[in-house]
Amino acid sequence: MQDWWKKATVYQIYPRSFNDSNGDGVGDLQGIIEKLDYLKGLGIDLIWLSPVYDSPNDDNGYDIRDYYSINPEFGTMEDFDQLLNEVHKRDMKLMMDLVVNHTSDEHQWFKDHEDYYIWREKPNNWGSVFGGSAWEYDNNKGKYYLHLFSKKQPDLNWENPELRQRIYDMMHWWLQKGVDGFRMDVINFISKHPDLPDGPNGDGSAYFMNGPRIHEFLQEMHDEVLSHYDCVTVGEMPGATPEDAKVYTNPNNREVNMIFTFEHMDLDHGPNEKWDYQPLNLVDLKENLEKWQHTLYDIGWNSLYWNNHDQPRVVSRFGDDTNYRYESATMLATCLHFLQGTPYIYQGEEIGMTNVQFPTINEYKDIETLNMYQEKKNKGTAESDILDQIHHVSRDNARTPMQWSGENQAGFTTGVPWIQVNPNHCHINVESDLNDEYSIYKYYKSLIKLRKDINLITMGKFKLIYREHPNLFAYKREGESETLTVYCNFSDQTIEVDEQPNGDILIQNYDNQASNNQIKLRPYETIVYKH
Ligand code: NOJ
């Protein structure tokens, strides 16, 4: 039998920004329950819930203080049990975020179990992902601990078998409750090179990404925990290549079902840092996705995504959120959802939510953004240049509240939201998408349904066509007797292809074909044929 998660469509909820039921300005579990019918209506099979555990929120819940309790801002464990039950009642599944590369420095383990963390008398030269050194001095202990993220996120010492057992116990506890799987935060960082050597220019990634014992740890986790349940796993793995992914996702290796690659998300980053954004070269994107499609075909499995809580909004990034928002959002969705893999939709993507341009730094909340702002200020970078980078790249672009309606605070809260709503909620919102005859929401719904109806979308072999074309992303999905051909115009210019339309139209984002004799694609047009 085919694994159920191969045909599933996943929806990611960032709880803080999804729906606030009690007016405190922070999204919560009851707020999610209120919207489950909405997700079911879209056709979602699996929900990935970003962390809801108890946390001091230095990194919005990715700094966990207690794995066994719910952050009171989000509700109680009873609310969680109710949520899980309501999800299952609707025949959907729920995947938890598993953050076990690090905990909060307020976790009891950090107080009681020094050997669960990584300590050194002298720091090496590694930098933290959020800026500054990856080491923090502890006055009481007289030594330094490693934190690849903020100093309130000390890295766990996976070399310690007792620590590993505590993590496995915790995973059992959640799976026994009935959760359906885990999205594993930076899981390919858990095995550090035992010597912790200096890295070139302070970049230690060669010594902690895909480290020496990573496969052993994942296999142990699989055998001790995952193999006992029908659950799904996706490993977030920055720096993993398709060759790495082939090992991680080959079922014979008993590690994870799929991973999140970062390669396609890094293509518009400058050579030095992600803030140095560059225009996307479409040929690079095509060739990169092709490599992933080919390398994992028949061996492992891909996850497919354009958005999550760490990425700017794709319609603003690779589309045109001003003149062609509907066309580019639906084109991007088509391009992604017809690839082989499991597609992930991030909240608001299905209505084409855009980046936000807050006028001052005071409106921003993300620790990474705030640290970067301070570092650049200290170096003397002009305020307007820093804000420009933040407007394009900041994680807060994804974290503004979900736009449910055109009303006050976008219908997200009756109180004051923890981060301001995007002013464009007046015209970009769920309510209007549900009412409009054509909307991005309705298009996503059709795409999701097609994936359920047509097995070729899940199983067909990928073949890139028009490789060198700078604006056209076109490919085939080949089966034994049928083929799908997907055309996506990534530009606001009309593209004429020397080819006749062939087959039945499965889906398109204009209401007719520009020409019956030739493939002609208007700005951001997409069309899929089956023949
Ligand atoms: C990846 C998560 O997606 C991100 O939001 C978080 O800041 C880091 N891991 C650290 O947990």
Side-chain angles (χ1 to χ4, degrees):
M1 197 192 77
Q2 186 183 287
D3 299 304
W4 62 267
W5 39 266
K6 290 193 173 165
K7 259 186 110 84
T9 301
V10 189
Y11 189 92
Q12 182 192 352
I13 293 182
Y14 193 67
R16 184 166 278 285
S17 304
F18 190 61
N19 186 34
D20 173 21
S21 72
N22 64 359
D24 67 356
V26 174
D28 47 45
L29 298 178
Q30 287 297 333
I32 299 175
I33 294 173
E34 287 172 10
K35 300 296 182 184
L36 289 178
D37 288 334
Y38 166 77
L39 297 181
K40 184 69 189 173
L42 183 58
I44 297 305
D45 305 290
L46 173 63
I47 295 168
W48 153 27
L49 194 57
S50 274
V52 292
Y53 313 93
D54 178 39
S55 161
N57 280 323
D58 192 51
D59 184 20
N60 284 357
Y62 283 91
D63 47 320
I64 296 174
R65 182 162 48 201
D66 179 0
Y67 290 108
Y68 294 91
S69 58
I70 299 292
N71 177 349
E73 286 177 304
F74 296 153
T76 62
M77 194 56 83
E78 287 68 45
D79 293 319
F80 179 84
D81 291 340
Q82 188 188 343
L83 169 65
L84 185 59
N85 189 23
E86 294 292 332
V87 167
H88 287 162
K89 257 200 225 162
R90 289 167 178 77
D91 209 17
M92 296 189 284
K93 293 179 190 279
L94 186 71
M95 172 162 78
M96 299 296 278
D97 220 303
L98 181 79
V99 188
V100 291
N101 173 68
H102 45 266
T103 66
S104 163
D105 65 340
E106 297 182 29
H107 196 292
Q108 198 59 37
W109 290 348
F110 196 62
K111 300 178 182 130
D112 298 345
H113 295 277
E114 183 177 315
D115 58 342
Y116 284 9
Y117 296 85
I118 301 172
W119 297 88
R120 286 293 183 273
E121 304 293 328
K122 268 181 54 192
N124 66 15
N125 73 348
W126 297 1
S128 143
V129 175
F130 293 158
S133 166
W135 295 90
E136 181 72 8
Y137 189 69
D138 183 310
N139 274 323
N140 294 331
K141 296 209 160 67
K143 50 188 175 181
Y144 296 82
Y145 64 86
L146 177 68
H147 61 89
L148 292 176
F149 295 89
S150 100
K151 60 176 188 237
K152 286 186 66 63
Q153 292 168 297
D155 279 59
L156 286 165
N157 175 18
W158 275 72
E159 299 295 320
N160 182 334
E162 183 184 303
L163 176 264
R164 300 206 298 276
Q165 210 49 59
R166 306 278 304 251
I167 291 173
Y168 303 153
D169 290 348
M170 178 270 287
M171 292 172 72
H172 273 297
W173 189 85
W174 282 99
L175 287 163
Q176 276 163 18
K177 221 180 213 315
V179 307
D180 302 289
F182 295 109
R183 172 271 186 188
M184 305 180 176
D185 193 68
V186 289
I187 198 69
N188 64 329
F189 289 12
I190 59 177
S191 164
K192 277 84 176 170
H193 188 295
D195 302 337
L196 306 179
D198 280 346
N201 306 316
D203 174 9
S205 55
Y207 303 110
F208 63 77
M209 283 180 181
N210 312 305
R213 298 182 68 187
I214 183 68
H215 297 293
E216 176 195 336
F217 292 157
L218 288 177
Q219 285 164 8
E220 183 183 82
M221 178 193 278
H222 180 274
D223 293 352
E224 298 234 351
V225 185
L226 304 166
S227 62
H228 301 282
Y229 306 86
D230 175 19
C231 63
V232 57
T233 52
V234 49
E236 189 207 22
M237 299 205 182
T241 64
E243 290 302 322
D244 294 323
K246 205 160 126 178
V247 181
Y248 287 122
T249 68
N250 182 337
N252 297 333
N253 295 337
R254 311 180 330 277
E255 298 190 23
V256 292
N257 297 137
M258 52 191 145
I259 74 162
F260 287 131
T261 161
F262 282 67
E263 288 191 342
H264 68 308
M265 292 280 99
D266 292 343
L267 294 174
D268 62 347
H269 294 172
N272 299 322
E273 55 164 18
K274 75 169 192 173
W275 300 101
D276 178 19
Y277 66 90
Q278 324 256 316
L280 173 73
N281 177 332
L282 184 68
V283 177
D284 291 346
L285 178 70
K286 292 192 269 188
E287 294 195 333
N288 182 266
L289 293 176
E290 178 192 41
K291 198 167 57 165
W292 283 82
Q293 291 286 301
H294 283 170
T295 310
L296 299 192
Y297 182 72
D298 246 3
I299 294 172
W301 194 248
N302 273 294
S303 62
L304 308 169
Y305 79 96
W306 292 135
N307 288 283
N308 60 42
H309 63 291
D310 295 329
Q311 300 291 340
R313 296 279 180 180
V314 74
V315 66
S316 306
R317 186 178 185 179
F318 298 160
D320 178 339
D321 65 6
T322 315
N323 300 315
Y324 295 103
R325 195 178 62 88
Y326 171 82
E327 292 81 358
S328 61
T330 51
M331 180 280 290
L332 286 160
T334 310
C335 182
L336 192 78
H337 283 236
F338 273 89
L339 294 172
Q340 185 173 44
T342 300
Y344 288 72
I345 299 169
Y346 177 69
Q347 64 186 43
E349 177 182 339
E350 78 281 17
I351 55 165
M353 276 178 62
T354 70
N355 283 350
V356 70
Q357 284 90 37
F358 291 135
T360 72
I361 191 66
N362 301 329
E363 286 80 42
Y364 286 90
K365 306 290 176 200
D366 166 33
I367 179 170
E368 182 186 49
T369 305
L370 298 177
N371 287 356
M372 162 280 199
Y373 176 85
Q374 209 43 62
E375 270 184 24
K376 295 206 172 188
K377 270 308 237 202
N378 296 345
K379 281 194 208 137
T381 313
E383 177 88 9
S384 57
D385 291 343
I386 309 180
L387 281 174
D388 176 69
Q389 292 190 321
I390 291 177
H391 293 162
H392 283 88
V393 185
S394 169
R395 307 195 297 181
D396 278 340
N397 284 305
R399 299 177 180 186
T400 59
M402 180 72 184
Q403 294 167 202
W404 295 105
S405 73
E407 283 154 36
N408 200 17
Q409 310 300 6
F412 162 73
T413 180
T414 54
V416 181
W418 71 276
I419 186 171
Q420 286 182 25
V421 297
N422 191 322
N424 68 19
H425 71 271
C426 302
H427 66 280
I428 302 176
N429 60 67
V430 169
E431 193 171 85
S432 66
D433 263 35
L434 291 175
N435 291 333
D436 284 355
E437 191 187 344
Y438 294 102
S439 68
I440 300 172
Y441 172 90
K442 290 194 172 154
Y443 192 93
Y444 266 86
K445 188 171 164 156
S446 311
L447 267 183
I448 294 169
K449 181 163 185 319
L450 280 175
R451 162 172 288 271
K452 291 196 170 55
D453 294 345
I454 300 179
N455 215 27
L456 198 50
I457 303 178
T458 313
M459 298 318 289
K461 191 165 172 48
F462 174 90
K463 186 169 160 208
L464 186 64
I465 52 178
Y466 302 109
R467 172 183 304 276
E468 301 301 334
H469 198 295
N471 296 325
L472 173 65
F473 193 158
Y475 58 86
K476 294 186 184 293
R477 298 293 308 284
E478 296 174 330
E480 272 169 21
S481 55
E482 279 177 332
T483 298
L484 309 176
T485 311
V486 181
Y487 298 90
C488 301
N489 180 354
F490 269 70
S491 77
D492 60 5
Q493 305 295 310
T494 296
I495 299 176
E496 298 194 23
V497 180
D498 199 10
E499 196 191 330
Q500 280 196 338
N502 174 13
D504 302 332
I505 298 173
L506 270 189
I507 192 163
Q508 63 190 131
N509 67 348
Y510 279 66
D511 47 15
N512 55 17
Q513 291 185 100
S515 153
N516 289 331
N517 311 318
Q518 189 195 2
I519 304 276
K520 193 169 172 183
L521 302 161
R522 290 154 287 191
Y524 294 100
E525 183 164 355
T526 184
I527 188 160
V528 181
Y529 296 95
K530 177 162 163 243
H531 45 99

